[in-house]
Structures are given as structure tokens and as C-alpha cells.
Amino acid sequence: MGKTSLALHLRRADPTITVLSLETFYLGWEGLAAGPRRAVEQLVEPLGRGEVPVVEPWDWRHDRVSCPRRRPVGSLVVLEGCGAVARPLRDALDLAVWVDADPAERERRLRDRDDWAVYAPHRDSFARQEQELAATAGSRAAADLVVTRSADGTWSTTTATDADEWVRSGRDGDDGRA
């Protein structure tokens, strides 16, 4: 179970939770770095003003920004995805959770996804963007909690520390220091 699965598990536990994917705010396969800033502009700032957010989601099928649409949210919003703990979003977070996985387990999960065939051609580029964002934003170290689910389904949690800033790309099974 990864980021999305954990967020959806929380929503099943409490249907009043609104789960939004940061993928909504990415600008395509090469636009991961834009996601956190766009989430602040289109989600966080309007909520701070007491307004219903108007989101311009990325249309992955047509490779372009979609028409703006109102996105009502509940009192608790879970924003999940790569970059959700990035600097532009940090001040708006009440709790930042980093979902971690062993590179081999992450690779297995990726290949088991229904959308693997769509994602596969972009994997190396996206992994590079994930690493760059984590290295420049210090995402893991900024998390309040690191959650890992083992192959047997048990969860473990630890607190993140600045001394433990690892980026796990899952590519070639490497763990690279950020």
C-alpha cells in the first residue's frame, strides 16, 4: 500500500475527509515541480480566504490543462502525491506524512498498477523529477511521520529527521543520498 492507498484508506475510515491527488496540479509528465505551487494557488489560498477552490486539473489523456472547475472540499483535506510536503505547501500542512517503501517493493507496486503501461514510458523522467524535488525541498526530513507498510501488511511509523534524508527512486534498486 502506497500514498494513494493510504489516503483512500483514511477516507474509507472517515467519509468526510476530502482526498485530492497532487497529480491534479502537475503540468504533465514533465511538470511535477509545478504541482506544489499550483496546489497553493488553486487550493490552499482560496481555502484560506474561505472560498471554494477553483482547480484547473491536468488532463492526462489530452496532455493539457483542463477547464477550471469548482472543487468543494470538507473540513479535512488529505493532499497525497509526490511533492505534497514540498516547501510551497508546508505552511498549510497540519501533518506531513512520508510514505516510504523499499525500492524493490516500490518497483513491484508500480508494475502491478492498472496504469503501469501508461506510466512506464515516463518512469525514468518522473523518477528523476521526484528525486530533484525531494533533494531541493527536503521532503522526507520535513515530514512529521514516516509510514512504511511491510510485505506482510503491517505498518510501522517513525519520525523523520534531517539526518535521515533519503530519496528512494526505486530505479535500479538504488537508495541515493539526497
Side-chain angles (χ1 to χ4, degrees), residues 49-62:
R49 295 187 300 265
E51 300 170 4
V52 173
V54 176
V55 175
E56 295 177 339
W58 185 257
D59 181 340
W60 292 92
R61 181 174 295 148
H62 297 103

Side-chain angles (χ1 to χ4, degrees), residues 18-53:
T18 301
V19 174
L20 290 174
S21 174
L22 200 57
E23 290 178 8
T24 300
F25 303 100
Y26 298 161
L27 291 174
W29 292 109
E30 294 296 324
L32 183 133
R37 177 186 45 75
R38 292 185 79 230
V40 167
E41 294 167 356
Q42 297 177 26
L43 176 68
V44 173
E45 290 174 353
L47 287 173
R49 295 187 300 265
E51 300 170 4
V52 173

Side-chain angles (χ1 to χ4, degrees), residues 37-98:
R37 177 186 45 75
R38 292 185 79 230
V40 167
E41 294 167 356
Q42 297 177 26
L43 176 68
V44 173
E45 290 174 353
L47 287 173
R49 295 187 300 265
E51 300 170 4
V52 173
V54 176
V55 175
E56 295 177 339
W58 185 257
D59 181 340
W60 292 92
R61 181 174 295 148
H62 297 103
D63 201 30
R64 64 179 184 231
V65 174
S66 294
C67 295
R69 58 184 73 145
R70 291 172 46 88
R71 182 58 168 99
V73 299
S75 60
L76 179 61
V77 177
V78 173
L79 184 61
E80 69 82 21
C82 298
V85 186
R87 280 193 181 91
L89 286 163
R90 266 191 222 148
D91 289 341
L93 302 176
D94 290 321
L95 178 69
V97 178
W98 180 276

Side-chain angles (χ1 to χ4, degrees), residues 65-137:
V65 174
S66 294
C67 295
R69 58 184 73 145
R70 291 172 46 88
R71 182 58 168 99
V73 299
S75 60
L76 179 61
V77 177
V78 173
L79 184 61
E80 69 82 21
C82 298
V85 186
R87 280 193 181 91
L89 286 163
R90 266 191 222 148
D91 289 341
L93 302 176
D94 290 321
L95 178 69
V97 178
W98 180 276
V99 179
D100 208 355
D102 176 77
E105 175 64 11
R106 184 171 180 200
E107 180 69 18
R108 184 192 64 73
R109 290 179 192 167
L110 279 171
R111 291 178 181 273
D112 285 350
R113 288 177 54 137
D114 291 338
D115 61 353
W116 168 248
V118 175
Y119 176 73
H122 307 282
R123 184 178 186 286
D124 289 342
S125 172
F126 202 78
R128 175 187 45 75
Q129 291 176 78
E130 287 178 305
Q131 289 178 348
E132 289 172 3
L133 185 62
T136 60

